[in-house]
Amino acid sequence: ETPCVASDVGDTKLIISKFGWISKLYERSSLKDNILKAYDLKLNNFQLWNENKIRCRKHVKSLFDIDIISRKFKFIS
């Protein structure tokens, strides 16, 4: 339930989606800015931070829940 800040590599955009902050690859200022945005949200709008945490968890579970992943794996195998 923790919204993430990450660089734009691999499937990061799919995993984090709109529930976190994606930084441009190799741009430290982008990473720094996104870390500060996340910190600011948690510090100054804790209710929205908590709502985002719940949405973040639901999103990740909807894509990567073990039952869903195992069904997809069985389908492919």
Side-chain angles (χ1 to χ4, degrees):
E1 289 186 359
T2 301
C4 296
V5 175
S7 295
D8 187 7
V9 295
D11 285 337
T12 302
K13 282 184 180 177
L14 171 69
I15 296 166
I16 293 178
S17 186
K18 62 184 178 184
F19 306 103
W21 298 264
I22 307 293
S23 301
K24 295 178 183 173
L25 191 58
Y26 304 118
E27 289 191 21
R28 289 183 289 195
S29 63
S30 176
L31 182 61
K32 176 195 74 149
D33 291 345
N34 283 332
I35 290 170
L36 291 173
K37 287 177 190 175
Y39 180 72
D40 182 64
L41 181 64
K42 186 173 183 181
L43 190 65
N44 295 311
N45 196 338
F46 199 67
Q47 180 178 349
L48 184 57
W49 172 264
N50 281 330
E51 291 168 6
N52 200 39
K53 285 173 47 175
I54 293 166
R55 286 188 211 106
C56 176
R57 173 135 174 100
K58 285 180 182 179
H59 167 72
V60 171
K61 254 183 101 62
S62 75
L63 294 177
F64 303 105
D65 181 74
I66 191 65
D67 293 329
I68 293 169
I69 296 297
S70 64
R71 280 193 299 264
K72 287 180 181 180
F73 179 76
K74 287 177 186 177
F75 181 73
I76 293 172
S77 297

